[in-house]
Amino acid sequence: MLGELGYLSGSGSHLEVTPAGAMLRTLYSENDLVIAECLRTGTWSRLTAPALAAAVSTLLYSARRDDSERTPRIPGGPSGVLGEALRATQRVWSGVSDLHESHGLPQTPAPHWGLVYAIHGWAQGKSLDTVLQGTEVAPGDMVRWCKQVIDALDQIA
């Protein structure tokens, strides 16, 4: 699968890591391949820093059952730059998910947009109270998710 996507070249015992593969080696998450594909394909190239943090959060955050029923708020609206990038991220995940299935590999978690608005606001410097208004996310949970987003962004950098 990694060869099909261009992260490895060669065959058999003569596999070599490509530049894309070297970048993938720096990513550590359940959706590391999706993150790498989003970076490699330019899915997130038009995003501001807060929007990038929000997009990355979709590949890290797993919602509680009661949270998954809510319609996510997207800064700039669903037709804005971030909304388009989130839909493109979903398509990238779907493609990677299809490859996982065709190779008999376990699925990775689907993107979840539940923290997009809060992470975007947090990355803009808004207060924790402000970004959590209207959500069911506990402050401690938000801090934990923010730490994971920071870690992923550090790996991306």
Side-chain angles (χ1 to χ4, degrees), residues 127-150:
S127 73
L128 187 60
D129 288 339
T130 300
V131 300
L132 291 181
Q133 282 179 347
T135 72
E136 297 291 323
V137 179
D141 290 340
M142 179 66 177
V143 169
R144 183 171 56 88
W145 290 116
C146 286
K147 286 180 179 182
Q148 288 187 22
V149 170
I150 290 168

Side-chain angles (χ1 to χ4, degrees), residues 46-139:
R46 295 180 49 216
L47 297 179
T48 63
L52 177 61
V56 167
S57 79
T58 68
L59 297 171
L60 305 173
Y61 177 62
S62 55
R64 294 184 177 164
R65 202 175 315 196
D66 56 344
D67 184 30
S68 63
E69 303 293 318
R70 296 175 179 264
T71 301
R73 294 187 297 172
I74 302 167
S79 300
V81 173
L82 178 55
E84 289 176 10
L86 294 176
R87 284 189 305 284
T89 301
Q90 182 74 35
R91 287 189 299 274
V92 169
W93 172 83
S94 183
V96 170
S97 179
D98 289 348
L99 278 172
H100 273 126
E101 186 175 326
S102 71
H103 288 274
L105 298 171
Q107 294 297 311
T108 58
H112 192 283
W113 299 8
L115 276 187
V116 165
Y117 194 84
I119 292 290
H120 187 271
W122 161 78
Q124 290 179 313
K126 294 180 181 173
S127 73
L128 187 60
D129 288 339
T130 300
V131 300
L132 291 181
Q133 282 179 347
T135 72
E136 297 291 323
V137 179

Side-chain angles (χ1 to χ4, degrees), residues 2-84:
L2 294 177
E4 289 176 48
L5 292 172
Y7 293 95
L8 296 174
S9 64
S11 62
S13 62
H14 298 329
L15 289 174
E16 292 188 26
V17 176
T18 65
M23 182 262 303
L24 175 60
R25 265 198 309 216
T26 67
L27 303 173
Y28 304 98
S29 80
E30 281 187 281
N31 270 316
D32 51 5
L33 188 54
V34 178
I35 292 170
E37 281 291 283
C38 286
L39 294 170
R40 191 178 64 82
T41 61
T43 300
W44 297 334
S45 63
R46 295 180 49 216
L47 297 179
T48 63
L52 177 61
V56 167
S57 79
T58 68
L59 297 171
L60 305 173
Y61 177 62
S62 55
R64 294 184 177 164
R65 202 175 315 196
D66 56 344
D67 184 30
S68 63
E69 303 293 318
R70 296 175 179 264
T71 301
R73 294 187 297 172
I74 302 167
S79 300
V81 173
L82 178 55
E84 289 176 10

